[in-house]
Amino acid sequence: VATTPKPMQTEVPLPPHFHCGHFDQRMHGAVLWQSRGGTKSVIHNDGQDAVNCQMDGVKHWAIWHPKYGKKIQSRKFGWVDASRDKDFKEAYGQFGGRVDVDNVDLERFPGWDELEWYELWMNPGDCLFNPSTWYHTVHGEPGRSQSVLLWWYRQDNFNATDCEVKQPWPPGVTLADCTWDYSPGENEQETKCGPSGSNRDEL
């Protein structure tokens, strides 16, 4: 897991929804996830909206609505805060760390079977919109897996007028044509995306 290297950013097309509505003003990060497969994540959620695009390999997702947050983020459901739990002192953040996502122990953690959940498989070429605060766990099927995750902070209001006045982007706009690292309270300088080559640093 790492920031997508700049030379590789030129190989990843930017999803068209970033073009207007001011989505491109709060771009946080473009992260490359790569493994040999056979991986799994803990149950967790993210603080930003995201689009996850599968470049190679297959991933299996399970997703829960944030309306279940009070239950999921409880000791009864196996939730942990790594900053307070000595059993997870090498980890960080908050997540369902005591739950075996491959074989949930319903005697130890009753209630998981009562929650409505969604599942999906992502194949090469698929992209998934993962809204902030939705809980999820991801399994990488055996074999090389490569995906790019685009994180941004949701704007307060969607600017429909911006979409009406902007002309369609020419083909060839990639991740390298955006500025990144917007972060509320830390780096609130607006980011931007533009026509191919307009925002690229020296690669």
Side-chain angles (χ1 to χ4, degrees):
V1 180
T3 298
T4 306
K6 288 185 177 180
M8 293 183 67
Q9 290 183 16
T10 63
E11 302 296 322
V12 184
L14 187 72
H17 78 268
F18 286 110
H19 175 46
C20 69
H22 289 173
F23 279 99
D24 65 348
Q25 292 183 353
R26 297 187 177 188
M27 306 288 277
H28 179 66
V31 180
L32 175 68
W33 293 72
Q34 185 165 288
S35 75
R36 61 183 180 181
T39 59
K40 61 181 178 181
S41 76
V42 294
I43 297 170
H44 65 287
N45 63 2
D46 299 318
Q48 308 103 324
D49 287 337
V51 165
N52 193 308
C53 293
Q54 193 71 21
M55 314 299 283
D56 195 14
V58 178
K59 284 186 176 177
H60 178 204
W61 289 62
I63 305 173
W64 294 263
H65 194 283
K67 68 183 179 181
Y68 299 120
K70 188 173 181 180
K71 290 183 177 180
I72 292 176
Q73 291 189 214
S74 67
R75 293 178 62 86
K76 178 182 177 182
F77 273 67
W79 196 258
V80 301
D81 182 341
S83 67
R84 300 181 179 181
D85 194 319
K86 63 181 181 180
D87 292 336
F88 294 86
K89 61 183 180 181
E90 300 299 325
Y92 65 93
Q94 300 182 33
F95 48 89
R98 299 192 184 280
V99 178
D100 180 352
V101 292
D102 287 329
N103 186 22
V104 179
D105 186 339
L106 293 176
E107 292 187 358
R108 186 180 179 191
F109 303 114
W112 276 105
D113 57 335
E114 299 174 3
L115 305 186
E116 181 183 19
W117 58 289
Y118 306 90
E119 67 176 334
L120 61 95
W121 280 261
M122 292 188 67
N123 295 290
D126 290 338
C127 288
L128 167 71
F129 171 52
N130 183 28
S132 65
T133 73
W134 282 65
Y135 299 91
H136 53 281
T137 179
V138 185
H139 288 231
E141 299 294 312
R144 190 179 85 149
S145 179
Q146 189 177 65
S147 60
V148 173
L149 178 66
L150 308 180
W151 265 320
W152 74 95
Y153 285 93
R154 188 178 302 176
Q155 65 271 46
D156 296 328
N157 296 290
F158 178 76
N159 189 325
T161 303
D162 183 56
C163 295
E164 294 172 1
V165 300
K166 280 186 175 178
Q167 296 297 316
W169 274 350
V173 179
T174 71
L175 304 189
D177 298 310
C178 295
T179 58
W180 299 88
D181 296 328
Y182 178 92
S183 185
E186 297 180 12
N187 179 19
E188 296 196 8
Q189 181 175 349
E190 290 184 352
T191 57
K192 60 182 179 178
C193 299
S196 180
S198 60
N199 291 313
R200 297 187 189 184
D201 296 327
E202 193 70 29
L203 297 178

